Every structure is written in structure tokens, then in C-alpha cells.
Amino acid sequence: DLLLIVVVYFALMAPPRRAILVGWTVGFLADLMSIERMGLMSLTYTATALLLVSTRDSLFRRGPVAQFLVTLILGLAIRAGWAVYVQVLYAASTGSLRTVALSACFTAFVAPLAIALLTSAAPLLGASPLKSGARRTSFTHV
């Protein structure tokens, strides 16, 4: 789930407003490419960005282990939520629990490398990662 990795990167490294906006934008674009109801992906990725922005000060954000664990936990939560959504609305299965877990694990293993690549490409992407002395929880930074 490369979209989740992009949201995790911005939620860990960018100012809060930008991170939340990226979460919503990624979700909106995913909604446009999905056959599901409009807003499901936007809500999912915006909530993911909000959750991570609100808890990131307690994390070692640049550490690959933290990036792996955050991506794994969020990936499992998102996939479990989608599985419940599909089961309730369509009485269908999205796959076995094993498939859901393997998918989240694969995404988490790729996350530290992808985040390193995104960090090195930050100037090209127009992303300006937080400076080490910047306040990370203030919504006044844009």
C-alpha cells in the first residue's frame, strides 16, 4: 500500500496542516480511482494522518524501526476496518486474516526504504520536512 507509506511519511515529517492535507488528497485521489463510495478512502487516510500527527512527538520518527512499526500497526488497522466494512455492507470477504496480515507486513517492510527515498526526494516533491528544533504539534506551521 504505497499510498499508506506516502501518508505515513508526510504525517511523520511534514508540518501538521500539510500532513493532514496530504492524507486527505491521497485519499481523495484513491476515491476517484475506486468503485467504492466516495469519501471512504479520504476519511481513512485523513484519520490516519490525524492520528499519526497527534502521536508523532512520542516517536523516534526518523528511525526505521519506528517507521516499520507505525506502518504495520496502521496498515493492520486500516485493512481490518476495510474488511469489516466489506463484510457489513456486502456480506463478502476481503480475504483471509493471513492475507490481510501479510499485506500489512509487506507494506511495513517496504516503508523504511520508501520513506528514505521520499526524504531524499523531498525538495523535488515540494515537501519541507520539519527542522529538528521546530515545534511539531503546533498547527500554526504551514
Side-chain angles (χ1 to χ4, degrees), residues 3 19 26-27 35 44 61 68 73 82-83 89-90 94-95 106 122 125 127:
L3 298 179
V26 165
I35 60 171
T44 300
R61 297 180 299 173
F68 169 81
I73 292 167
W82 288 341
L89 246 54
Y90 305 115
T94 58
F106 180 74
L125 299 172

Side-chain angles (χ1 to χ4, degrees), residues 106-122:
F106 180 74
T107 300
F109 277 115
V110 172
L113 175 62
I115 289 172
L117 290 172
L118 287 169
T119 301
S120 66

Side-chain angles (χ1 to χ4, degrees), residues 10 12 15 20 24 41 44 46 53 60 62 66 69 73 76 79 83-84 107-108 118 136 140:
F10 276 92
L12 287 175
I20 294 165
W24 179 83
M41 305 297 273
T44 300
T46 302
V53 162
F60 182 59
R62 297 194 190 278
L69 290 174
I73 292 167
L76 287 170
R79 283 174 178 70
V84 169
T107 300
L118 287 169
R136 296 172 209 9
T140 59

Side-chain angles (χ1 to χ4, degrees), residues 4 19-20 22 35 42 54 58 71 88 90 94 105 109 112-113 117 125 135 137:
L4 175 60
I20 294 165
V22 166
I35 60 171
S42 299
S54 66
S58 60
T71 307
V88 168
Y90 305 115
T94 58
C105 285
F109 277 115
L113 175 62
L117 290 172
L125 299 172
R135 263 189 80 191
T137 57

Side-chain angles (χ1 to χ4, degrees), residues 23-46:
W24 179 83
T25 303
V26 165
F28 179 74
L29 294 173
D31 274 333
L32 291 176
M33 295 183 286
S34 172
I35 60 171
E36 281 301 323
R37 292 184 168 95
M38 190 68 173
L40 177 66
M41 305 297 273
S42 299
L43 178 64
T44 300
Y45 287 126
T46 302

